């Protein structure tokens, strides 16, 4: 006869099996919660460890600062970083994060002082120079910012972020040819990257070197790691350069890259429709919009754009159901909003009542 569950438990207790207990708090557990984005679970552990003096208090204050910063409580993060540094002035991440927090609070001169100290203490660390450059630019010292970004790029020869920031400083300084050179280096470091390719293409266009801008954009279209929204931006830049066929191909590639991401599909499809309509290829625009409606029938932007195209062709019988669907969604979200007004005007142009 099987032992009943209660009796079996009694046997186990009689045998001396230890009762389950809550594991003691640990810094490792708190850090795991922070890595998972769960500061609500991490902070009580950190505070208990701090109260019980079980772990280095500098580390505990640092991670409490990280949690406050992650939750957007910048004023609450600052004292934790300062206390961590009072206990251990050499904590790189606390100095860095304090500088970033001060910058986000709009205290750019203080941020420059903190991050300048960091760059001096850790001269071989590229992120110290990068963050210093960012705050120097925010404080209006563009030449100093350019020097910092160039130093960060020298130390990190794989990434292109520091070069991209340097290019923005050079644009503000009006040094367009230097900007192009810096962005060519960025593209050389990250071939096919859409962000770098777009920045270079725009710089070349502003410098009047239109034809040179095409190649990096086409390379970005071919690069599989670029996401749908990045490809949509590339498509628009190709359109701006007068390459409609390449632009439309890039937009269609963006649609294919969108997958199940609803916002990416919306951006890519509308980009494709805008480019196709401007190029006089309404069939391509309508085809993209119809396919998108099949995938996301509740998205009003697709119905509105397609309804508008059909109305322009005098096909109001087909347009009205789409426009009514779009207007209903827009009016429900914001009855007096621009989208509700535009869809109402489109219906009126087709002679259809709103109800």
């Amino acid at each position: 006869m099987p032992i009943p569950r209660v009796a079996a438990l009694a046997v186990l207790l009689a045998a001396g099996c230890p009762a389950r207990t809550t594991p003691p708090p640990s810094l490792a557990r708190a850090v795991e919660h922070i890595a998972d984005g769960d500061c609500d679970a991490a902070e009580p552990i950190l505070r208990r460890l701090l109260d019980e003096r079980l772990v280095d208090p500098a580390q505990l204050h640092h991670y409490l600062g990280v949690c406050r910063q992650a939750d957007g409580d910048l004023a609450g993060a600052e004292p934790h970083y300062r206390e961590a540094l009072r206990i251990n002035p050499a904590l790189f991440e606390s100095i860095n994060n304090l500088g970033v927090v001060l910058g986000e609070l709009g205290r750019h001169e203080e941020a420059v002082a903190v991050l300048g100290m960091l760059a001096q203490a850790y001269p071989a660390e590229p992120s110290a120079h990068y963050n210093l450059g960012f705050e120097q630019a925010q404080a209006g010292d563009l030449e100093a910012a350019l020097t910092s970004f160039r130093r960060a790029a020298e130390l990190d020869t794989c990434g292109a972020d520091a070069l991209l920031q340097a290019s923005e400083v050079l644009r503000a300084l009006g040094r367009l040819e230097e900007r192009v050179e810096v962005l060519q280096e960025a593209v050389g470091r990250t071939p096919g990257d859409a962000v770098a390719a777009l920045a270079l293409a725009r710089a070349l266009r502003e410098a009047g070197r239109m034809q040179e801008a095409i190649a990096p954009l086409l390379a970005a279209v071919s690069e599989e790691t670029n996401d749908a929204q990045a490809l949509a931006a590339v498509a628009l830049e190709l359109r701006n350069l007068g390459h409609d066929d390449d632009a439309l191909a890039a937009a269609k590639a963006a649609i294919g890259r969108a997958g199940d991401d609803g916002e990416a599909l919306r951006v890519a499809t509308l980009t494709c429709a805008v480019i196709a309509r401007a190029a006089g290829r309404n069939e391509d625009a309508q085809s993209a919009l119809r396919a998108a409606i099949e995938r996301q029938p509740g998205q009003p932007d697709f119905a509105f754009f397609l309804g508008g195209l059909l109305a322009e062709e005098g096909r109001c019988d087909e347009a009205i159901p789409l426009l009514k669907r779009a207007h209903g969604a827009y009016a429900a979200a914001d009855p007096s909003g621009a989208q509700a007004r535009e869809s109402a005007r489109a219906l009126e142009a087709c002679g259809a009542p709103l109800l």
Side-chain angles (χ1 to χ4, degrees):
M1 177 182 297
I3 301 175
R5 187 174 299 168
V6 175
L9 177 60
V11 171
L12 288 173
L13 292 174
C17 288
R20 292 183 178 180
T21 59
T22 302
S26 71
L27 180 58
R29 178 69 61 84
V31 172
E32 285 179 7
H33 287 310
I34 293 171
D36 292 337
D38 189 0
C39 277
D40 288 342
E43 286 188 277
I45 297 174
L46 294 168
R47 293 188 182 280
R48 180 177 168 186
L49 291 170
L50 191 61
D51 291 341
E52 297 179 4
R53 301 182 180 181
L54 299 175
V55 178
D56 173 17
Q59 293 187 61
L60 297 174
H61 278 290
H62 171 76
Y63 284 115
L64 283 165
V66 169
C67 277
R68 291 294 82 230
Q69 185 177 0
D71 284 349
D73 180 12
L74 303 178
E78 180 185 351
H80 283 298
Y81 290 136
R82 290 196 183 278
E83 181 61 15
L85 292 170
R86 186 192 67 79
I87 299 167
N88 183 355
L91 286 176
F92 176 91
E93 290 296 338
S94 289
I95 304 171
N96 183 67
N97 289 9
L98 175 60
V100 171
V101 163
L102 290 169
E104 291 178 347
L105 287 168
R107 293 153 60 184
H108 300 298
E109 295 293 346
E110 292 178 70
V112 167
V114 169
L115 293 168
M117 177 181 65
L118 183 67
Q120 288 183 347
Y122 297 91
E125 176 53 54
S127 64
H129 297 279
Y130 180 92
N131 287 338
L132 174 59
F134 187 86
E135 289 305 323
Q136 287 168 327
Q138 294 298 306
D141 192 347
L142 297 183
E143 290 292 352
L146 184 58
T147 298
S148 295
F149 286 134
R150 287 190 186 278
R151 182 57 181 152
E154 290 170 1
L155 292 168
D156 178 11
T157 57
C158 295
D161 287 349
L163 293 171
L164 293 172
Q165 291 291 348
S167 77
E168 289 303 306
V169 173
L170 288 165
R171 181 183 187 184
L173 291 169
R175 290 151 62 175
L176 298 184
E177 289 302 323
E178 282 184 70
R179 181 185 177 213
V180 168
E181 291 173 6
V182 165
L183 289 170
Q184 286 172 331
E185 183 179 350
V187 168
R189 289 186 181 190
T190 55
D193 176 71
V195 174
L198 279 166
L200 176 57
R202 289 165 182 165
L204 288 165
R205 179 158 54 85
E206 289 175 14
R209 297 160 61 178
M210 311 282 279
Q211 288 307 310
E212 295 176 61
I214 305 303
L217 294 172
L218 295 180
V221 176
S222 300
E223 174 54 55
E224 295 182 357
T225 59
N226 290 319
D227 63 25
Q229 297 197 49
L231 288 184
V234 169
L236 289 173
E237 186 62 25
L238 285 165
R239 191 268 316 260
N240 292 339
L241 290 165
H243 281 243
D244 290 342
D245 289 343
D246 290 328
L248 195 54
K252 290 178 178 179
I255 293 172
R257 197 77 53 89
D260 296 328
D261 186 333
E263 178 59 14
L265 178 63
R266 187 187 74 83
V267 170
T269 300
L270 295 180
T271 297
C272 182
V274 165
I275 292 170
R277 179 176 180 272
R281 297 170 64 170
N282 277 9
E283 288 186 5
D284 284 322
Q286 291 176 23
S287 175
L289 289 163
R290 291 184 193 281
I293 288 172
E294 289 184 8
R295 292 171 66 178
Q296 285 189 350
Q299 169 53 258
D301 293 348
F302 300 151
F304 179 53
F305 204 137
L306 179 57
L309 289 175
L310 292 170
E312 287 178 351
E313 295 178 355
R315 297 160 64 183
C316 280
D317 288 348
E318 297 176 69
I320 287 171
L322 292 164
L323 293 172
K324 283 188 173 181
R325 185 193 312 175
H327 179 72
Y330 293 148
D334 184 1
S336 60
Q339 292 173 316
R341 294 196 305 271
E342 289 175 10
S343 54
R345 283 197 293 269
L347 281 166
E348 290 171 4
C350 270
L354 295 181
L355 297 179

